Structure formats: C-alpha cells, structure tokens
Amino acid sequence: MITNGFTKVCALSELKNHEGKRFLVNDVDVALFKINEDIFALNNICPHQHTTLIYNGSIEDGCVICPAHGWKFQLKNGKMPDGRNGLISYPVKLIDNFIYIKAEDKNTNW
Ligand code: FES
C-alpha cells in the first residue's frame, strides 16, 4: 500500500531495538533500524564495496557500522561522521503502529 509516496513495510513490533532489518521498498534496498523511540531508514548498499550488509551492522554513537570493513554512517542522515556523503536516508512515518517508508528512487549518492 502506498500513501503519498510512503510504502507500508512492517509493524513496529517486528523491529528489535538496536537491530536492523532489511526490506525491499519499490526495488530500493533499505536497512531499517529502531533505536529506542526512533526509527531510521537508510540505503542498505555500502558505498565502499557495495555489500548489502548495512542492516546487519552494529550500532554505536548514533551510527551504524558496516560489518564488512567498518565504515560508519550516521543513522539520522546516512552521512559519514566527517560529513561526507554515505548512504541515502529515507523519510519514515509511524501510523497506527505500522512503519511506512518513502523510498522510490534507486539512485545512491556515492
Ligand atoms: S563494504 Fe562496507 S565498509 Fe567495506
């Protein structure tokens, strides 16, 4: 279901705190994270060697760490800690305990 460009992806209860989950949203590979009360959606393809493991990264200081070689990306905007472009971040909405993501563009910003 799509609402104003937002696609319903899952129930809030399907996410575990501080653990990522991978979704294909309109063919966009998305890593979704729940950090306490906040939900973040980032592109799941690492700009380093294009592995699709971001969803499996550990969380540290507001960043997700790519499990392949340790590149870090800020959850709030996908940028690297030094401000360089990293991962695209996607708008998220929580409606009636379901999560909606607006991810329609397969482009990356590498
Ligand atoms: S592929 Fe992500 S850090 Fe190398």
Side-chain angles (χ1 to χ4, degrees):
M1 184 176 84
I2 296 184
T3 318
N4 292 331
F6 283 81
T7 301
K8 188 180 193 176
V9 290
C10 68
L12 179 62
S13 58
E14 291 175 53
L15 297 182
K16 292 185 185 154
N17 204 20
H18 286 77
E19 252 181 51
K21 206 166 160 110
R22 182 183 188 183
F23 293 92
L24 267 190
V25 183
N26 302 316
D27 285 337
V28 182
D29 198 340
V30 174
L32 190 62
F33 299 92
K34 176 180 183 296
I35 310 296
N36 303 324
E37 303 307 314
D38 296 316
I39 310 289
F40 302 98
L42 299 175
N43 193 282
N44 187 47
I45 307 173
C46 183
H48 177 218
Q49 288 188 355
H50 306 182
T51 60
T52 52
L53 293 171
I54 297 298
Y55 76 100
N56 212 16
S58 52
I59 307 297
E60 192 181 288
D61 296 335
C63 292
V64 58
I65 302 172
C66 177
H69 315 97
W71 284 26
K72 270 187 172 187
F73 307 95
Q74 297 178 55
L75 289 163
K76 64 180 182 192
N77 57 18
K79 289 181 182 288
M80 302 189 74
D82 63 6
R84 278 186 292 157
N85 280 348
L87 305 168
I88 292 177
S89 91
Y90 303 104
V92 176
K93 280 186 185 179
L94 184 62
I95 303 170
D96 294 336
N97 285 318
F98 282 92
I99 295 167
Y100 294 75
I101 300 175
K102 189 171 187 173
E104 300 172 303
D105 184 352
K106 287 178 75 172
N107 289 336
T108 54
N109 59 0
W110 306 331

